[in-house]
Amino acid sequence: MAMSQRATVILATRLIALIATLIAAVVMASSHEKGTIFGAISYEAKYSDTPAFKYFVIANVVVTIYGFLVLFLPSESQLWRLVLVFDLVLTMLLVSSISAALAIAQVGKKGNSHAGWLPVCNQIPKYCSQTTAALVAGFVGLVVYFLLVCYSIHRDLDPFLVRKN
Amino acid sequence: MGEEEVVQKRQKAVVLVLRAAALLATAAATIVMALNKETRTFVVATVGTTPVTASITAKFQQTPANVFFVIANAMASNHNLMMIGSDLFGIDYRGFKLPLVAILDMLNAALLSAGVHGAAFMAQLAKNGNSHARWNEICDKFQGYCNRGGIAILASYVGLLVTLGITVVSIVKLLKPKPQPQPLASEIEVP
C-alpha cells in the first residue's frame, strides 16, 4: 500500500473513532426523561444520577478532545511514539468506563432481586434506549481505538521484524 | 560485554519481581471475591408472639459485575503465572517472544481494568444506594460481605498498577534497537 493511501486510511479510522466517542458522550449527557411511579410521584432521570454514567461521559469527552488534537499532528513528526502511549492509556480508560456504565445499566434493566433493586426501565423507556445507544457508540469507539493501537505498534515498534534496518 | 549482561540480568530480575507481585495481588483478589458469602437472618413479621425469620444470603454470583471481576482476575493471574514460568524455564520462540509478551501484557491490563471498574462501581452502588432509582443500600446489613468485596477490589487495583508497570517495561524493551546479526566469517565471500 502506498504511503499516502495508508495515511488516508489511518486518518479515516481516527475520524471514525472521534465521531464514535463524541456520539457516546453527547447522547449519554443529553438523555433525560420524566417518569412517574404508580402515577403519583414523578421524578426525572438524568445521566448525573449515577457516578458510573458521569465517569462514562467524562472518559469519552477526554478521548474525544485527544482524538481531535491528534488529527493535526503532521505525519513525519517523532511525536507519533507518544501518540502510541496515549492511545494505549486512553484505550484502557475507555474499557473501564464502558465496563462501569454497563454494570449499572444491567442493574437498571434487569434489576437485582437478591438486593431488592427493582428494574427501572419500564418507567423510563426513552432514557434506557438512549443510554443503550450511547453504550453501543462507546463500544464502537473502543474497538476502533484498539485497532489503532495494534496498527501503531506494528508501524512504530516493528514486532514482526519486517524492516531490514 | 560483561556490564551489558549484568544490566540485562538486573532487568530480568526486576520484571520477575513485578510479575510475582501482580500474580499475588490478582490471585488474592480472585480468591477473596470468590469465597465472598454472607448469610443473615432477619425478623420479617411477628405472628402472635413467635417472630417469623427469613435468612438471606449475599453471594458474589448474584451480581454479574462481580462474576466478571472474578473471571478477569483469574485470567490475569493465569497470564502472570504463564509468563513467570516461561521466564524461568526459558522457552524460546525464535525472536517472536518479545512482541507476543508485550501484546499479551497490554490485553491483560485492559481486561483487568474492565473487571475492577465494573466491580468498583457496583460496590459504590451497594454502599450508597441510588435515591433516584429507589435502590436501597445493602452494606449496612451485610457488612462482612461488603468489607471482603472492598478488600478484593483494592487488591485488584494494586495488581492493575503493577501490570501497567510491567506493560511499560515490555514496550520499552521493544523500543530498543535490535542488534544487527553479524555475518559469520565463513559466509563472507572473498572476491
Side-chain angles (χ1 to χ4, degrees), chain A residues 50-60 92-93 96-97 100, chain B residues 117 121:
Chain A
T50 322
F53 290 166
K54 278 195 277 199
Y55 179 51
F56 182 78
V57 168
I58 292 174
N60 276 280
M92 268 191 47
L93 183 69
S96 69
S97 74
Chain B
H117 279 95
F121 276 95

Side-chain angles (χ1 to χ4, degrees), chain B residues 47-161:
Chain B
V47 177
T49 47
T50 49
V52 175
T53 60
S55 82
I56 309 180
T57 313
K59 297 192 283 236
F60 84 94
Q61 295 105 323
Q62 293 164 354
T63 317
N66 289 342
V67 173
F68 180 48
F69 175 82
V70 168
I71 293 176
N73 276 277
M75 289 182 63
S77 349
N78 183 35
H79 164 87
N80 282 323
L81 193 63
M82 295 289 152
M83 289 300 148
I84 289 180
S86 94
D87 268 344
L88 285 180
F89 298 121
I91 302 174
D92 180 35
Y93 292 96
R94 308 240 170 248
F96 187 52
K97 182 177 180 186
L98 196 55
L100 188 67
V101 166
I103 292 174
L104 281 179
D105 276 336
M106 249 175 47
L107 291 176
N108 202 24
L111 183 67
L112 206 51
S113 155
V116 75
H117 279 95
F121 276 95
M122 283 305 292
Q124 190 270 345
L125 180 64
K127 197 167 178 69
N128 296 340
N130 194 331
S131 56
H132 303 273
R134 308 285 192 276
W135 291 334
N136 300 324
E137 57 184 41
I138 62 171
C139 267
D140 51 355
K141 301 191 194 68
F142 291 95
Q143 271 142 8
Y145 178 80
C146 278
N147 285 341
R148 283 192 289 265
I151 289 175
I153 291 174
L154 205 61
S156 190
Y157 262 117
V158 166
L160 176 67
L161 281 177

Side-chain angles (χ1 to χ4, degrees), chain A residues 70-87:
Chain A
V70 149
L71 287 179
F72 295 118
L73 202 60
S75 63
E76 297 91 16
S77 94
Q78 294 286 340
L79 280 179
W80 280 104
R81 295 207 160 165
L82 196 63
V83 165
L84 165 67
V85 170
F86 273 126
D87 269 348

Side-chain angles (χ1 to χ4, degrees), chain A residues 11-32:
Chain A
L11 186 66
T13 314
R14 284 200 187 268
L15 212 56
I16 291 175
L18 172 69
I19 291 173
T21 50
L22 183 65
I23 287 177
V26 164
V27 167
M28 179 67 93
S30 68
S31 63
H32 63 90

